[in-house]
Amino acid sequence: MNVEQMETAWRAQRHQPDRPGRLLRWIMVAGMVVLQACATVANPDPRDPMESWNRGVFGFNDAVDRAVVKPVATAYRDVLPHWLRTGVGNFFNNLEDVWSAVNNALQLRGLDTADSLGRVVINTTMGLGGLLDVASEMNMERHPANFGLTLGRWGVGPGPFVVIPFLGSSTLRDTVAMSLDIPANPVRRVDDDATRNGLTLLNLIDTRATYLKAGEVVEDAALDKYSFTRDAYLQRRRNQVYDGNPPDEDLPPEPSPEQ
């Protein structure tokens, strides 16, 4: 197939229903991931039985980040003034608080639910649609929560560690919960495709720009970036489930001293 034929096929595909296009894109992504996941791990971490596969996906994600996402996020940070980036972050935090309120209610956390609902009402009205974080100035705390955290607080174990193409670190529990978390995002309710895609992209870039310095710390400090990222994610998620006071993890028994 020459370039002209490829372009014609691509243009024709744009007018087809979105589902086949999405399926094709995911098949292509899966194929690239399979090519990346070629290394074997002799002694995988018990929390990470798919470490060989996960390392391949992690490498793919890291390559995409270095080639595309990080440069765009760096330009976004350097070009846009701080007050504007703060407003963008406030806007998406306000949208996130809507789903947090639902999950805090599912967890029977009355005060956290009231705070989340109050933040949405105040920031949406007095904060110009969420661009200003008036609620924080009124000492109303944020309590971020998603359905994965709700499942964890109701006793569902995390399951094995998973790295998802483009999305990054997760667990089996949190991956299953995405079936609700992603559709619940208010941005997904926007009917206009261009607006919805633009908001999704802006949220991605703004989030990546927020963590640029943290990423540099990982680059400088970690001998094994994959292990560092995995352990940090699992520890942070465990702390969230147990409100910062997790019980001691069961450790494997120490070998008996040689006689």
Side-chain angles (χ1 to χ4, degrees):
M1 179 181 289
N2 58 34
V3 174
E4 184 177 353
Q5 290 173 321
M6 292 176 63
E7 182 177 359
T8 301
W10 178 79
R11 291 181 182 276
Q13 183 181 339
R14 293 183 60 188
H15 299 285
Q16 299 299 320
D18 192 44
R19 180 178 293 180
R22 289 182 180 177
L23 179 60
L24 177 60
R25 287 194 292 271
W26 277 109
I27 291 174
M28 294 172 63
V29 169
M32 289 186 289
V33 168
V34 169
L35 292 177
Q36 291 287 327
C38 56
T40 58
V41 178
N43 299 302
D45 190 298
R47 303 166 302 172
D48 187 8
M50 300 183 296
E51 183 172 346
S52 176
W53 172 269
N54 285 335
R55 281 183 178 272
V57 181
F58 181 86
F60 168 74
N61 288 348
D62 190 53
V64 172
D65 181 71
R66 290 174 181 273
V68 181
V69 182
K70 184 177 178 181
V72 173
T74 301
Y76 170 86
R77 179 198 61 185
D78 295 342
V79 172
L80 267 64
H82 182 266
W83 63 266
L84 182 56
R85 287 185 280 113
T86 299
V88 171
N90 289 340
F91 174 78
F92 287 111
N93 284 342
N94 188 51
L95 296 182
E96 182 181 320
D97 283 340
V98 177
W99 187 230
S100 294
V102 174
N103 281 280
N104 284 320
L106 291 174
Q107 297 167 28
L108 305 181
R109 292 170 173 259
L111 293 178
D112 291 359
T113 303
D115 279 345
S116 297
L117 287 173
R119 288 183 58 85
V120 172
V121 172
I122 290 173
N123 286 340
T124 302
T125 55
M126 300 175 60
L128 304 178
L131 294 175
L132 303 177
D133 188 1
V134 180
S136 290
E137 297 178 4
M138 299 172 63
N139 296 320
M140 297 182 69
E141 246 185 282
R142 289 195 76 224
H143 305 281
N146 55 26
F147 193 61
L149 184 58
T150 298
L151 292 177
R153 284 177 170 165
W154 281 108
V156 178
F161 179 71
V162 180
V163 182
I164 304 174
F166 299 111
L167 300 181
S169 299
S170 184
T171 61
L172 180 59
R173 178 192 64 210
D174 292 341
T175 302
V176 172
M178 286 181 185
S179 62
L180 288 181
D181 287 332
I182 293 176
N185 187 339
V187 172
R188 304 293 299 174
R189 306 295 179 182
V190 177
D191 291 331
D192 183 69
D193 289 345
T195 303
R196 182 177 64 251
N197 294 337
L199 288 172
T200 301
L201 182 61
L202 178 60
N203 189 18
L204 168 66
I205 295 172
D206 182 73
T207 301
R208 184 63 182 90
T210 302
Y211 292 103
L212 281 172
K213 289 186 177 179
E216 293 171 359
V217 171
V218 174
E219 295 278 359
D220 294 338
L223 295 177
D224 183 353
K225 186 177 178 181
Y226 171 82
S227 296
F228 184 94
T229 303
R230 176 194 61 199
D231 295 346
Y233 175 84
L234 292 175
Q235 181 179 0
R236 174 177 175 271
R237 203 60 173 151
R238 182 174 170 82
N239 284 336
Q240 288 177 326
V241 168
Y242 290 100
D243 291 323
N245 189 29
D248 293 335
E249 295 188 77
D250 294 331
L251 299 177
E254 295 185 3
S256 58
E258 296 181 2
Q259 300 296 328

